[in-house]
Amino acid sequence: MNFNPFVLPFTVGLGFLLIMVIYRFIRWISKLPFVDRKKLWMGLITQKIFLAVKEIFLESLIHRKIFRINPLLGYMHMTLALGWFLLIVVGNIESRLYGGSELNPPYYPIFLRYFVHDHSNIPYGVFFANLMDFLLLFVLSGVILAYIKRAFSFIFGVKRKPRRKIQDIVIMITLWTIFPLRLFAESFTASVHGNGGFLTGTVGSFMSYLPHTNEIAYTFWWLYSISLGTFFVVLPFTRYMHIPAEVLLIFMRNSGIRTEKEFTSYSDLEVYSCPKCGMCMDKCQMGFAANIKDMQSVYFIQSVRNHKIEEKKLFNCMVCGRCQEFCPVGIDLNAQRMIQRKFMSNFVSSTFDYLPVISLPTVDVLYFAGCMTHLTPAIKKAMLKIFEHAKVNFNFMDADGTVCCGRPLMLTGKDIEAKKIIKKNEETIRNSGAKLLVTSCPICFKIFKEEYALNIEIMHHSQYLLKLVEESRIFLSQSEIKAVYHDPCELGRGSGIYEEPRKLLGKTVQLQEIKNSKEASLCCGGSLGNTQMDSFKRDMISADACKQLLKGNPEMLITACPLCKKSLGKFSTIDIKDIAEVIANRMENDKTIKESKEMVSV
């Protein structure tokens, strides 16, 4: 059996890492609710496992999401992940050919070049030597880029980097030394024995002129083993724990497990899957527009992992969801924050008995304007005009503005209080006999869809207006107005509604697409989810968002949220309208339509 004492640091480190990872995996899986454990096991025996493997390959090895953000940054991550993975796989195949055994000690493939000096007489020996050198060079190119990134991060599209803990710095330096040490160990060994692949053989030929190359080679094998062992031992206590954690997370997610309203072991797994890459920092408007540098999701997740959650970090967030759209791991950051906000809530409970159950006549459509719509009455007036024009049998649920949907309470962690309001509203809605609930506020729309137990259809007014047009209940006149549409956070990222507003607006204005749209849309700054940020900072975010939206010199700025209209309206230099106002203004009356049809027939 091939053995040398220098393999001990690697072997001990690998053993420790496996114990820690297995312990964590068992803990995360065993503490899942029974329903989620069942989902996981079912996912492992169905086609979902293939979807999970595909995602692991694309996101954990190729780093597809990072490639989309910045190809150079994606390449750097891919070389370190995929390159190292291939070195392990190909190395194991090669070691079995050389070792002549199906079972080799785990260190054997890693230190094969030390134990096997002559590969010329072994099948495919030269091929494997050159292939392994190519893979090593592939990884080293990523290491070089990592060095460059530390000094010139802007080249990689990284404007800000999160603060690192001492253990993160130690393991990062260790990672950067592993492959250069391997190169030197294999190259010096090649210089002693006159072999090696195209890389190690070439480097070794230059080193052959040095004295004591055999002793130097042995020293580098020790250093290589120590660096690997150190990396493995430190990994479970650093951000690099995301490497194994992310694999399990992907399997769970593809099995249908999601972050719930309470903190579960799946939530804990998500926390450990955070790589602290800082992607969320560059995408956070609080950072680049309002100069708030220490409240981003990476710091929040870190505080959850360390069990040191600060109220300011928890509540100083707009909960716009922009950061999680760019998270390479796909962590549900908003859900994580909502869970923790419930724990921190110190709201004095209320029964809300003073809220009446409103008695409404039976109608087909129930309209809920929402608090913010009442503060932007032009939207409310536009909707009432459209209802009347289309002869809709509707009723105005919150005509007096006294009914809240409950979402603002939920955003601040007051779930119990929100549910009491929801219960009151549910009773009112059921008593109305309505078949459809329409709301003008995306904030209300989201909670109606997700939290209310209603057996009726729920639509945002952008969806409903498109429905009226497609059913020929209203007709629109086309114009040459160049307009840009702003995706509200709760309607777009929060509810996945992107195409309906665009399809509707395309029937009446010339819509221009912009860079920060759809999933990358900018928050208006008026978020109800942030209870810590002052009005000055909010205005900075609103002004910056407005500036970005108007870069293409549109003639009109359109949104589909009363809060967005109000926030952006303070800084817009052009006309800003809600989508309902645009439709109300572009409706053709029946007489005009009739005359138009008669002219066409003539």
Side-chain angles (χ1 to χ4, degrees), residues 100-392:
S101 171
E102 291 294 321
L103 293 174
N104 289 312
Y107 61 79
Y108 189 63
I110 308 300
F111 306 108
L112 184 66
R113 292 291 178 269
Y114 176 83
F115 295 113
V116 178
H117 303 143
D118 185 11
H119 49 70
S120 59
N121 296 324
I122 299 173
Y124 309 107
V126 176
F127 167 76
F128 274 109
N130 285 295
L131 178 58
M132 291 295 283
D133 272 17
F134 171 77
L135 293 175
L136 179 58
L137 182 62
F138 182 55
V139 176
L140 285 169
S141 68
V143 173
I144 292 170
L145 288 175
Y147 293 151
I148 296 172
K149 177 175 172 285
R150 294 304 298 175
F152 307 101
S153 59
F154 65 90
I155 299 174
F156 299 80
V158 178
K159 298 175 183 176
R160 295 174 54 216
K161 294 173 286 188
R163 296 187 301 271
R164 306 293 188 198
K165 289 190 170 184
I166 184 65
Q167 59 264 39
D168 289 327
I169 296 172
V170 169
I171 195 171
M172 183 171 62
I173 294 172
T174 304
L175 177 62
W176 290 353
T177 61
I178 288 173
F179 299 101
L181 288 172
R182 175 170 179 159
L183 173 65
F184 285 120
E186 292 188 353
S187 297
F188 271 108
T189 301
S191 72
V192 173
H193 300 283
N195 56 16
F198 74 91
L199 176 63
T200 54
T202 303
V203 175
S205 65
F206 287 105
M207 295 174 174
S208 61
Y209 299 102
L210 297 174
H212 311 294
T213 51
N214 196 31
E215 290 80 1
I216 295 173
Y218 189 65
T219 301
F220 273 110
W221 283 115
W222 264 103
L223 292 173
Y224 176 44
S225 179
I226 291 170
S227 66
L228 282 169
T230 304
F231 181 81
F232 293 150
V233 169
V234 180
L235 185 145
F237 311 103
T238 68
R239 68 190 185 98
Y240 286 92
M241 184 60 191
H242 83 89
I243 298 170
E246 184 182 348
V247 173
L248 180 60
L249 178 70
I250 290 172
F251 274 110
M252 285 192 181
R253 193 162 55 208
N254 278 275
S255 298
I257 303 172
R258 294 291 183 270
T259 307
E260 301 295 339
K261 295 178 183 178
E262 303 296 333
F263 195 83
T264 65
S265 61
Y266 179 80
S267 311
D268 191 52
L269 175 60
E270 275 199 320
V271 169
Y272 275 84
S273 297
C274 174
K276 287 178 67 176
C277 60
M279 293 284 183
C280 55
M281 298 177 70
D282 283 341
K283 302 303 176 183
C284 178
Q285 291 170 256
M286 287 172 52
F288 66 75
N291 202 34
I292 300 173
K293 305 292 188 181
D294 56 352
M295 298 294 157
Q296 281 67 36
S297 291
V298 62
Y299 296 124
F300 161 68
I301 291 293
Q302 183 178 318
S303 69
V304 175
R305 181 170 174 173
N306 296 335
H307 306 289
K308 295 179 181 178
I309 304 171
E310 299 174 22
E311 185 175 353
K312 194 171 183 180
K313 277 191 175 67
L314 182 57
F315 288 95
N316 198 357
C317 171
M318 297 189 293
V319 201
C320 68
R322 197 166 192 265
C323 57
Q324 70 183 42
E325 282 295 332
F326 292 93
C327 175
V329 182
I331 298 171
D332 194 340
L333 296 167
N334 280 355
Q336 287 280 353
R337 199 175 289 272
M338 290 300 100
I339 290 169
Q340 299 301 329
R341 284 186 176 188
K342 286 196 294 184
F343 292 146
M344 295 284 283
S345 175
N346 57 2
F347 188 77
V348 178
S349 181
S350 170
T351 60
F352 294 100
D353 288 336
Y354 59 87
L355 290 176
V357 175
I358 304 169
S359 179
L360 298 171
T362 301
V363 290
D364 294 328
V365 177
L366 192 61
Y367 175 59
F368 187 90
C371 305
M372 289 308 304
T373 306
H374 282 286
L375 296 175
T376 47
I379 300 173
K380 179 174 61 176
K381 291 176 182 177
M383 284 302 296
L384 294 177
K385 178 182 177 181
I386 294 167
F387 281 134
E388 291 170 6
H389 185 89
K391 298 179 174 58
V392 177

Side-chain angles (χ1 to χ4, degrees), residues 532-543:
Q532 299 284 321
M533 191 162 52
D534 59 43
S535 59
F536 177 71
K537 295 290 187 183
R538 288 180 182 274
D539 284 349
M540 289 175 69
I541 293 171
S542 300

